[in-house]
Amino acid sequence: MKKNFSVFIVFFVFLLVQGYLVYGNSLDKRNLIDVEIINYLLSNRIKAMNRGLYTDEAMDDIIADLEKIERGQLLQEDIISLKDAKLNPTDYPMVIGLNTLKIDSISNKDNIYILNAEIQWDILEDSESMESIRYLIEVEHLEGKFYLISLVPIQ
């Protein structure tokens, strides 16, 4: 009886280990970056950009906040856009919120996630409106933090 029970326990443990290995290897990489992370990054980007466009806050403070959530080309483009907007003010529609409708992971390589996402922007104009746009988004995972590195609209 003890021998049968021991064989059963060994077999059960084997199945658990196999199941874990198969499940672990089949996990979709997009589970590592979810809607909350994208919402966090984009919401903080909106806040920083709005401060740069609509307030007299020091540009260095705004750039410091952008550096917490962006890297690379996107960061450089946003800095140039904000500086240009300060020199050449115009009417930009104010984004007051967003809703990530759908995220499809395209790939994950070297801690860079490439995502296809549908974002619904809440825009304040004469009256509030919502606009849904698909984006190709690149997010880098570096030292335990996520950074936006690219945000390109898709037609």
Side-chain angles (χ1 to χ4, degrees):
M1 179 77 171
K2 280 188 171 184
K3 186 174 182 176
N4 286 341
F5 184 72
S6 296
V7 170
F8 174 75
I9 293 297
V10 169
F11 181 72
F12 183 73
V13 169
F14 174 77
L15 286 176
L16 282 176
V17 169
Q18 285 297 101
Y20 176 77
L21 291 175
V22 169
Y23 178 74
N25 288 332
S26 68
L27 276 178
D28 189 343
K29 296 295 185 187
R30 73 178 164 198
N31 288 336
L32 299 177
I33 184 163
D34 58 17
V35 172
E36 287 80 21
I37 293 168
I38 298 300
N39 281 344
Y40 170 81
L41 294 170
L42 292 174
S43 293
N44 283 312
R45 181 175 183 259
I46 288 170
K47 290 174 190 172
M49 295 298 284
N50 282 344
R51 288 182 9 241
L53 293 171
Y54 303 109
T55 70
D56 291 328
E57 188 172 342
M59 191 59 67
D60 290 341
D61 294 339
I62 296 165
I63 292 171
D65 285 346
L66 284 173
E67 288 172 338
K68 294 175 186 174
I69 57 166
E70 294 182 351
R71 294 177 48 83
Q73 185 176 350
L74 182 62
L75 175 62
Q76 296 308 312
E77 289 171 358
D78 282 352
I79 291 169
I80 290 168
S81 295
L82 288 173
K83 287 181 177 180
D84 185 55
K86 288 290 185 184
L87 294 173
N88 305 300
T90 187
D91 290 334
Y92 292 98
M94 180 182 254
V95 178
I96 57 175
L98 70 109
N99 184 16
T100 304
L101 301 176
K102 184 178 180 184
I103 293 179
D104 297 316
S105 179
I106 296 175
S107 68
N108 170 17
K109 184 179 179 191
D110 298 330
N111 293 324
I112 295 179
Y113 299 85
I114 301 173
L115 312 161
N116 185 324
E118 185 173 355
I119 310 293
Q120 186 175 41
W121 301 101
D122 193 3
I123 301 169
L124 182 65
E125 294 183 83
D126 293 333
S127 63
E128 285 189 39
S129 66
M130 302 193 93
E131 184 174 343
S132 180
I133 301 173
R134 290 204 68 79
Y135 288 90
L136 188 63
I137 302 173
E138 289 184 42
V139 176
E140 183 176 22
H141 187 230
L142 184 65
E143 298 175 358
K145 290 188 66 181
F146 289 95
Y147 298 90
L148 288 169
I149 57 173
S150 178
L151 182 65
V152 178
I154 302 172
Q155 298 302 351

